[in-house]
Amino acid sequence: MKIGFQGRHGTFSEIAALSYFSTQEIEPCGYPNFKLILEDVQNGVLDYALLPVENTTTGIISRTYDLLCHYDIHVIGEIDIPIHEDLIVVPGTKIEEISEVYSHPEALLQCSGFFAEHPEIKSMSFQDTARSVEYIRDCNDRSKAALGSWRAREYYGMESLIRNVQDNDLNMTRFFAVSAKKEVAADADKISMMIVLKHEPGTLYRALGILNDQKINILKLESRPIRGRVFEYMFYIDFSGNMNDENVEKAVRALQESSEESKLMGCYKAAVPFHQEKAI
């Protein structure tokens, strides 16, 4: 199976792909951006893809969510991946030699405490965490370092000067597994939807009331601006349930009927809590 992920060998997205499909033989396929991944999933070039959607430190990854609504694909699962950002350097480098640290903007934000402690070091945005490690290797310059994964460090033959630079020891990213095929596991227990409500008082209150009336637990609610409209918003909702349950099916239908626009993004098995997972 061909599995798409953003970035090169050694990104956390590749780790997510390998972890989610750990019991299957796959061909991981790195892409420069999410748009190309989604196009190839929709067109059947890829069987599945792993996409980051939320981080425990920086919150929702909005560019992923916003793209999901524009493609005919389905969320078929999720996985939570611990994000341990190492300060990766040319072997032998000392901290006082470093003047620039390169990484993906999300990774830089997740390590803001490090830059506060080292104001002399500049944070430099780069394509992705693994590409930044490759860049440091190619430069072979001790004034440059990168924030990335242990996998990138090993793949590019570099050294971790400081491990676990991230601000939050429980720094984790939630990844969606997506497919062009609508796959619903028998034990699915989580649903993700996007809805656009009428721009008038009480519509969100009534929409949430639908779930309350059916005694359905809301797990997540996010608002995002609608492109092309002034201060109007769509909502992403995650809630517990399986579409085979009568009360859940009734609630979803009612949400769809009360919305100007809606998309059932997927019904899938929620990620296993991290403390129950095997170490990567």
Side-chain angles (χ1 to χ4, degrees), residues 20-21 48-51 74-79 175-179:
Y20 188 85
F21 293 99
Y48 301 95
L50 271 291
L51 303 172
H74 308 276
V75 179
I76 57 94
E78 67 174 7
I79 187 171
F175 288 81
F176 276 161
V178 299
S179 172

Side-chain angles (χ1 to χ4, degrees), residues 79-98:
I79 187 171
D80 296 335
I81 296 295
I83 307 297
H84 296 157
E85 305 281 4
D86 286 4
L87 183 67
I88 298 174
V89 298
V90 173
T93 299
K94 297 179 180 180
I95 188 68
E96 55 268 23
E97 296 179 275
I98 300 171

Side-chain angles (χ1 to χ4, degrees), residues 191-211:
I191 293 170
S192 292
M193 285 189 72
M194 180 281 294
I195 58 175
V196 177
L197 302 172
K198 291 182 180 178
H199 194 43
E200 59 186 38
T203 53
L204 179 59
Y205 174 81
R206 291 191 291 274
L208 299 181
I210 291 170
L211 298 172

Side-chain angles (χ1 to χ4, degrees), residues 88-90 93 97-102 124 135-136 139-146 158:
I88 298 174
V89 298
V90 173
T93 299
E97 296 179 275
I98 300 171
S99 60
E100 297 176 338
V101 173
Y102 292 76
M124 310 292 288
Y135 173 70
I136 299 306
C139 288
N140 195 33
D141 181 348
R142 293 191 178 194
S143 71
K144 302 180 189 297
M158 302 294 279

Side-chain angles (χ1 to χ4, degrees), residues 26-235:
I26 66 169
E27 179 186 343
C29 303
Y31 280 74
N33 60 62
F34 297 126
K35 188 173 183 293
L36 292 175
I37 295 174
L38 290 168
E39 287 175 354
D40 277 1
V41 172
Q42 180 174 270
N43 295 331
V45 177
L46 293 170
D47 296 292
Y48 301 95
L50 271 291
L51 303 172
V53 292
E54 186 179 9
N55 178 266
T56 53
T57 301
T58 57
I60 186 175
I61 300 174
S62 57
R63 64 190 181 283
T64 311
Y65 262 112
D66 293 347
L67 280 170
L68 283 170
C69 292
H70 299 291
Y71 292 87
D72 186 19
I73 63 173
H74 308 276
V75 179
I76 57 94
E78 67 174 7
I79 187 171
D80 296 335
I81 296 295
I83 307 297
H84 296 157
E85 305 281 4
D86 286 4
L87 183 67
I88 298 174
V89 298
V90 173
T93 299
K94 297 179 180 180
I95 188 68
E96 55 268 23
E97 296 179 275
I98 300 171
S99 60
E100 297 176 338
V101 173
Y102 292 76
S103 200
H104 188 278
E106 289 282 344
L108 296 173
L109 284 173
Q110 293 164 18
C111 301
S112 58
F114 170 82
F115 293 104
E117 292 176 7
H118 300 276
E120 73 282 3
I121 297 178
K122 295 180 180 179
S123 63
M124 310 292 288
S125 294
F126 218 69
Q127 180 179 332
D128 60 59
T129 55
R131 180 69 181 88
S132 67
V133 177
E134 181 185 34
Y135 173 70
I136 299 306
R137 182 201 64 182
D138 293 345
C139 288
N140 195 33
D141 181 348
R142 293 191 178 194
S143 71
K144 302 180 189 297
L147 292 169
S149 72
W150 61 267
R151 188 175 182 85
R153 177 195 73 225
E154 291 185 353
Y155 187 84
Y156 294 108
M158 302 294 279
E159 179 182 296
S160 288
L161 180 60
I162 305 175
R163 296 181 186 271
N164 299 332
V165 180
Q166 71 280 352
D167 300 338
N168 182 358
D169 288 339
L170 295 178
N171 190 32
M172 301 183 72
T173 294
R174 175 187 177 208
F175 288 81
F176 276 161
V178 299
S179 172
K181 297 173 288 186
K182 188 176 182 180
E183 301 178 9
V184 179
D187 60 348
D189 57 3
K190 189 172 183 179
I191 293 170
S192 292
M193 285 189 72
M194 180 281 294
I195 58 175
V196 177
L197 302 172
K198 291 182 180 178
H199 194 43
E200 59 186 38
T203 53
L204 179 59
Y205 174 81
R206 291 191 291 274
L208 299 181
I210 291 170
L211 298 172
N212 179 67
D213 291 344
Q214 297 300 325
K215 296 180 170 40
I216 295 172
N217 185 35
I218 298 174
L219 302 171
K220 180 182 178 63
L221 177 66
E222 291 276 354
S223 64
R224 288 290 300 155
I226 301 173
R227 187 176 299 176
R229 302 191 196 179
V230 179
F231 297 124
E232 294 188 38
Y233 300 86
M234 66 179 73
F235 295 93

